[in-house]
Amino acid sequence: QPPRSCEDYWGEWKHCRGLRHAFHHYYAHGELPDCGRWREDYEACRAWERDRAAAAQVPAPLLACPGLCRPGLLGQKPRSRRVWKLRKNPPPDWYLPLD
């Protein structure tokens, strides 16, 4: 059985194809979202519900990534670049009052 209901995959696909999400994703990542994976997951889920065939019973894309690591929504790229250089220790005058 798929980890989520088929309506969840359909809803995620519809959300991914929406104008607001596409605009936000393009603004944040510089490219349009790839929503094909959500459609494939929905079709695999429906095939499992309809046929219960051995090939569709364990859909590898659904079990490997149950909706949390799709490139269209959460993304594989970092959301932002670091602005400050990380330090290992505080500055030597950290206890002095600020100007």
Side-chain angles (χ1 to χ4, degrees):
Q1 184 173 4
R4 300 169 67 180
S5 71
C6 294
E7 286 75 26
D8 289 344
Y9 294 111
W10 179 257
E12 293 286 354
W13 180 67
K14 292 294 280 184
H15 170 75
C16 185
R17 291 189 62 222
L19 182 61
R20 183 176 179 171
H21 174 71
F23 180 75
H24 173 74
H25 193 275
Y26 186 79
Y27 177 79
H29 302 287
E31 60 188 21
L32 291 174
D34 179 28
C35 303
R37 186 74 182 263
W38 288 111
R39 180 70 178 190
E40 292 170 8
D41 289 349
Y42 172 72
E43 290 172 359
C45 182
R46 284 293 178 201
W48 184 84
E49 283 185 346
R50 182 179 52 248
D51 302 331
R52 307 251 185 212
Q57 279 186 358
V58 184
L62 297 180
L63 296 178
C65 183
L68 301 177
C69 60
R70 294 292 182 261
L73 296 181
L74 296 181
Q76 301 293 330
K77 299 176 186 176
R79 289 189 176 232
S80 64
R81 295 185 180 147
R82 295 223 169 123
V83 177
W84 297 286
K85 184 177 177 182
L86 296 177
R87 323 182 260 231
K88 303 231 182 241
N89 298 320
D93 58 351
W94 66 271
Y95 58 88
L96 296 176
L98 296 174
D99 293 337

